[in-house]
Amino acid sequence: MSVFDPVKGFGVTFATMFKPVVTEDYPKNPEPTAPRYHGRHQLNRHPDGLEKCVGCELCAWACPADAIFVEGGDNTEEARYSPGERYGANYQINYLRCIGCGLCIEACPTRSLTMTNEYELADDERQRLIYTKDMLLAPLLPGMEQPPHPLRLGDSDDYYVHGPELLRQKLPLTPVQHGAAR
């Protein structure tokens, strides 16, 4: 050990004191995320407002962290929430357990479940990190109707096969267009 070793250490400290700071001003100026960033989950809707989730529970089975709870319910002609025979009556994602792997997204047969770019999921109360169906559902866009309501886009095949085309062509749907889309 040399007598000048402590001075060399202070030299490193003094050299970095006058360099510009690289710390981001996160809460005030958050950086945008990458377009394909996997953040909070979202339950999507069809162009008429019906839910895409058919309550099949495949997302819950695919989750390695056991963070998803789905309880399916049966649709009736009086109360229809999705175009299928069933819908997700009770849907919860526990973000205390979720590891953000995206396996639930791959398992979803109707593309009901996707992930948004929202990444601020921290909270100081554990119960608020269990997101329920009303917190996960995509908002209603103009022309959409709050379920339950009857099928508006024709046969159930139209919902799955032609759904993306109808979404591009007919949004926002007006009540007059709902009848014409059949």
Side-chain angles (χ1 to χ4, degrees):
M1 183 166 142
S2 167
V3 180
F4 298 107
D5 285 342
V7 177
K8 288 181 188 176
F10 287 124
V12 171
T13 302
F14 286 123
T16 57
M17 282 178 53
F18 302 107
K19 289 184 178 177
V21 179
V22 254
T23 306
E24 294 177 13
D25 191 16
Y26 165 65
K28 294 179 184 171
N29 300 318
E31 291 287 321
T33 59
R36 294 183 61 161
Y37 178 79
H38 285 187
R40 185 182 66 84
H41 295 79
Q42 176 175 296
L43 286 171
N44 297 311
R45 298 177 183 268
H46 286 286
D48 62 352
L50 286 178
E51 301 166 8
K52 286 187 175 184
C53 180
V54 293
C56 66
E57 303 177 19
L58 288 174
C59 54
W61 284 99
C63 182
D66 198 23
I68 301 175
F69 173 75
V70 181
E71 186 176 27
D74 293 329
N75 279 317
T76 62
E77 291 306 319
E78 298 81 33
R80 177 166 295 283
Y81 291 90
S82 74
E85 294 177 11
R86 297 173 50 83
Y87 71 100
N90 187 355
Y91 200 102
Q92 297 176 5
I93 296 181
N94 185 345
Y95 281 104
L96 297 167
R97 301 184 117 210
C98 178
I99 58 174
C101 64
L103 291 175
C104 53
I105 308 303
E106 293 178 24
C108 184
T110 61
R111 299 234 184 244
S112 167
L113 192 62
T114 55
M115 294 178 101
T116 64
N117 285 353
E118 183 182 336
Y119 58 89
E120 295 178 339
L121 297 171
D123 204 328
D124 57 355
E125 187 176 324
R126 295 176 61 87
Q127 192 60 36
R128 288 195 295 236
L129 289 171
I130 299 174
Y131 279 50
T132 57
K133 181 179 174 180
D134 57 331
M135 300 162 79
L136 294 167
L137 266 174
L140 289 170
L141 298 174
M144 290 182 173
E145 183 181 346
Q146 180 70 37
H149 63 76
L151 298 174
R152 302 275 192 239
L153 300 177
D155 297 334
S156 61
D157 289 343
D158 292 339
Y159 278 86
Y160 302 116
V161 178
H162 303 294
E165 296 168 17
L166 291 169
L167 184 61
R168 284 191 293 272
Q169 294 171 1
K170 304 219 175 183
L171 268 182
L173 291 174
T174 63
V176 175
Q177 288 174 322
H178 282 302
R182 287 188 193 174

